[in-house]
Amino acid sequence: MAATELISALLLLLLICSSDISSSEKTRRPEPCKRLVLYFHDILYNGKNAQNATSAIVGSPAWGNKTTLAVPNRFGDVVVFDDPITLDNSFRSTPVGRAQGFYLYDKKEIFTAWFGFSFVFNSTRVKGTINFAGADDIMKTTRDLSVVGGTGDFFMTRGIATLMTDAFEEDRYFRLRVDVKLYECY
Ligand SMILES: *[C@@H]1O[C@H](CO)[C@@H](O)[C@H](O)[C@H]1NC(C)=O
Ligand SMILES: *[C@@H]1O[C@H](CO)[C@@H](O)[C@H](O)[C@H]1NC(C)=O
Ligand SMILES: *[C@@H]1O[C@H](CO)[C@@H](O)[C@H](O)[C@H]1NC(C)=O
């Protein structure tokens, strides 16, 4: 009896201590060493827009196909993209790089995706990549992806990218605002 009480008291103490640590860690979060706000534009191939499509469904569930997003909630579709990145929200602006990778829709009940992609920069001013991975809870106004690494001007970087859907037109087009906060810069 006494032993179990002692154990639960110890456990409680441990819990309090660990929550103390996490709250003090939160207040000690560093400022980003580099911050970039960029936009990327995705035009999904729908069977008719081969000229200006920048992404394509490459995998669909058995009940779907590769020109129409699957029902329900696009579940099971895998999309590969090579999207222009711009400094402002205009699709017509000169691209500063490409967002290249894939997203897949991974929940039947609601609309969510998983993203794995890179920002690829190959201009005279910026060269290198920033690599992103993580869950995208599309129905939320903002959602965070991990910046898992980088190369070139972004050598070995890490951080957080906050995504916002800046615009969308049904299933054809979306534009994401990406606020990249890097916490490791070399
Ligand atoms: C893509 O091309 C189609 C057909 O030319 C055009 O109607 C549409 O506006 C274009 N989409 C974008 C986002 O430019
Ligand atoms: C794909 O599926 C949609 C929705 O079921 C259908 O309208 C369309 O005709 C299909 N396209 C092809 C190429 O099978
Ligand atoms: C990057 O730019 C250089 C110089 O313009 C070019 O030679 C090279 O092919 C480009 N690389 C890619 C992957 O586009």
Side-chain angles (χ1 to χ4, degrees):
M1 197 60 187
T4 51
E5 267 166 26
L6 188 67
I7 289 170
S8 44
L10 277 175
L11 275 176
L12 191 69
L13 195 71
L14 207 75
L15 253 167
I16 293 166
C17 287
S18 58
S19 68
D20 261 10
I21 290 165
S22 64
S23 64
S24 64
E25 262 172 10
K26 255 176 210 158
T27 58
R28 273 193 279 117
R29 267 190 192 164
E31 287 297 305
C33 49
K34 195 177 272 176
R35 193 161 178 178
L36 319 158
V37 177
L38 297 164
Y39 294 81
F40 75 90
H41 307 259
D42 190 88
I43 304 170
L44 184 63
Y45 177 66
N46 61 8
K48 288 169 275 193
N49 61 351
Q51 287 293 318
N52 61 7
T54 62
S55 66
I57 302 170
V58 298
S60 68
W63 61 85
N65 64 42
K66 290 182 183 140
T67 49
T68 308
L69 288 157
V71 178
N73 292 312
R74 309 175 176 187
F75 178 73
D77 281 330
V78 181
V79 177
V80 168
F81 61 94
D82 174 18
D83 291 345
I85 302 171
T86 58
L87 296 176
D88 60 15
N89 63 5
S90 169
F91 177 68
R92 314 263 164 231
S93 296
T94 311
V96 296
R98 311 292 296 185
Q100 297 172 327
F102 69 91
Y103 48 90
L104 51 88
Y105 293 98
D106 55 3
K107 201 161 168 62
K108 259 169 115 176
E109 294 76 15
I110 55 166
F111 191 30
T112 66
W114 200 89
F115 255 120
F117 66 100
S118 301
F119 276 2
V120 180
F121 300 99
N122 187 31
S123 67
T124 46
R125 280 185 56 214
V126 192
K127 280 196 169 54
T129 63
I130 306 174
N131 300 311
F132 303 83
D136 181 6
D137 189 353
I138 300 167
M139 300 317 285
K140 291 220 175 94
T141 316
T142 64
R143 50 275 180 187
D144 288 344
L145 293 188
S146 303
V147 173
V148 295
T151 65
D153 291 344
F154 306 99
F155 176 78
M156 294 264 286
T157 197
R158 285 205 301 167
I160 293 290
T162 303
L163 301 188
M164 272 178 74
T165 305
D166 194 51
F168 68 95
E169 289 166 27
E170 289 164 37
D171 292 350
R172 291 186 306 270
Y173 172 77
F174 68 76
R175 177 169 70 234
L176 294 182
R177 179 184 187 273
V178 188
D179 183 356
V180 185
K181 286 154 283 185
L182 302 177
Y183 295 91
E184 281 185 31
C185 307
Y186 294 94

